[in-house]
Amino acid sequence: IHNFVYASDQTHCALQKAAQIAGINPKNFRAIATSKATNFGLSPNSLQSTILADIESGLVPLFLCATVGTTSSTAVDPSGPLCEVAKMYGIWVHVDAAYAGSACICPEVRHFIDGVEEADSFSLNAHKWFFTTLDCCCLWVKDSSSLVKALSTNPEYLKNKATESKQVIDYKDWQVALSRRFRSMKLWLVLRSYGVANLRTFLRSHVKMAKHFQGLIAMENRFEIVVPRTFTMVCFRLKPTSIFKQTIAKNEYIEAQTNEINAKLLESINASGRIYMTHAVVGGETQSFSFTWRGSSSSFDDHNNYQKSDGVAKFSMELPNDPKGIESVETAQQRLASRPNSCWQNAYENLFATCSVILKDDGKRSRLAWQLSDCFQKDSGRPSFPSCDSRSDMLKCLTKLDESAHKIYLEFYLQINSICHQLQANAFKIETERLVNDLKKSAEFAEEKLHSIQEHSERLIQNSEQIENSLTSLDSKTQQVAETSEKVRDQIDVSLERSSVILEQSRLIAASQSELRQGQSDMREVLEGGMEILHESYEKLGQNVEKLRNEAVEIEKEIQRVSNSMSTKMENLQNKANDIGNVAGLSLDKQKQLLDGQSTALEGLDFLTKFQSQALEESRASLQTLAEFGQKQQEELLRRQLQLQQAHDHLIENSKSILAAQEEFESKQASMFLALDKLFTLHNAILLESRSIKAFLFYSFVIFLLYMLTSAKQTYGTRARLYLGLCAIFLVEFIMCRFGVDLDQQGLRSAEPSDVRDSDRQS
């Protein structure tokens, strides 16, 4: 009940019908008024003020429709600012671009839908201005879930796997009807057949024709453009000043009369059958004509082109067939022929003679309409019009008429326009045909002259091209000759330079040959002296070589001897090194063997003791028989004792080496304890220093804190006692730290001998 829909007063009536279908009360439809100041587009400020007023009244804003190209005036609502206002109150925004949306494929008009990305839905009718037959509407929604929630149905007979698996989109949930025709096929065919470039050309040609028509209307003083053209619709009407006197003030009567005359003019235009216009009421009271280009094949060039035939045909012009104008002219001619000396003759003669002046002068046209109306009253037996002085204002005279007389006046007023337009059209036709035919003849003559001039110019061009080609060939040949002569000149210069160089070189060769001959003679004398010296030197060299050979033999022997001795020493050193390694290994093996021997000896002694006791017990009866065997055993025992003695001596030596190693270990252990003692001493010193630093910082902070706390007069007397207590605490802590370190050191020193004694005991 409280949901409200918002739109401008220019929005199509289909929105109101859709709101009624959705259950919105017609009273809840807000048609916000527009004005000429915004070119009849919906103002965001007006929308916001209307919404705020409804919210204060407890109403709920629901839906806003912004139109791009309204039906009456092709006004454009600003989509972006309207969306900003609507989003503040959570309103669904729909952009209705049914007519003008198709034109937005052209970049130059795309700014009319700026901000459409903020809308919730957008629609255009391809059958209006996009080459597509009725009916074909395109709809985009930002979030289709709203449609699905409102319109979804899922009965058992419609269930299928594709829908349940979301493989397809069921458009039945996007619309009221369950099924629909394949409308997208015809739109697809249009897009594939024409392409974007051809569609843009098609739309631009319509806009161009509308712009041209708007220019023609602007050139005519009797008409005015009611709304600025946006796309292809031109809204215009007859001016009130072209019907009445220009100095009149605007009032309801004049506006009503103007609308009535415009309505009759529209009916007469449409009755001709040559053109069709629609009417619109803009701004609440202004009635205008709407002339729109929406054809499927017309273009601006089609209105400018004409067909040419093989023969020469005269230009002929066919005017628009205005039956009322023709009938009015024929009626006037019949009245002039039937009543030569009557009121009609004077009136129509004035009309025919001064048509060009009457159309420009509204006063004269009104006077003639008054005169013709008076003649009609007299001719039909009705009372004649009251007298109207030529100096008086026609408005005052018109106020004297009753309603029926005023209608007769308006009919003759419009008839004057029709008669004058028809007469001027005929005159214009004759004059235009004559002028065009003359122009055509002049154009044909000029065309013949141009053809002859073109032929001469083509011949001149051909001759000039031939001359140019010959000049080009001559230039190329002269260029080649110049290049060849330049090359010959360069070669001659190079040859002269080379000949001069050769001459100079020959002179130098001759001089060098003479010098060479002199040098050869001198060289020969020098070689002879040198050969003698060389012979003597060769003899001396043989003697020295023999001496060097002997010395080399001796040196080689000495080197051999030294190398042998060095190799012997190296072998000795290697053997010593191996012996040292072997001795080290043997010492370890011998220690092991010694330990094994000691254990074996002990076992042997035990066995021997047992064996002796057993032998004494068992050999009492066979002492004699075993005497020799006992002696042999004694000798063997002595031999084994000797081995045991040797093993014992060896064991003593090994024990001494072990004791020496143990003493060395004890000395290293003592040095380690000393190092640990130093380390602990250093550690204690570091701890003492750190404690001292911490104590210094702590007591400094405490002293400063006590000083700050006892700075007042009330606490100043306790400062000395607090300082004394702090000093006592400091002394106690210092003594504890000092004696604690000494006790730790004493404990460490007392622990060292006990550890050494324990190690001795273990060894």
Side-chain angles (χ1 to χ4, degrees), residues 468-501:
E468 186 178 0
N469 293 331
S470 60
L471 290 174
T472 305
S473 62
L474 287 174
D475 290 337
S476 62
K477 289 179 180 179
T478 53
Q479 187 70 23
Q480 291 176 359
V481 171
E483 291 177 356
T484 306
S485 62
E486 187 69 25
K487 291 179 181 178
V488 171
R489 189 181 296 109
D490 294 338
Q491 291 178 358
I492 291 171
D493 293 337
V494 172
S495 300
L496 289 174
E497 290 177 359
R498 288 182 179 177
S499 61
S500 62
V501 171

Side-chain angles (χ1 to χ4, degrees), residues 27 184 191 198:
K27 297 180 181 179
S184 59
L191 296 174
N198 289 328

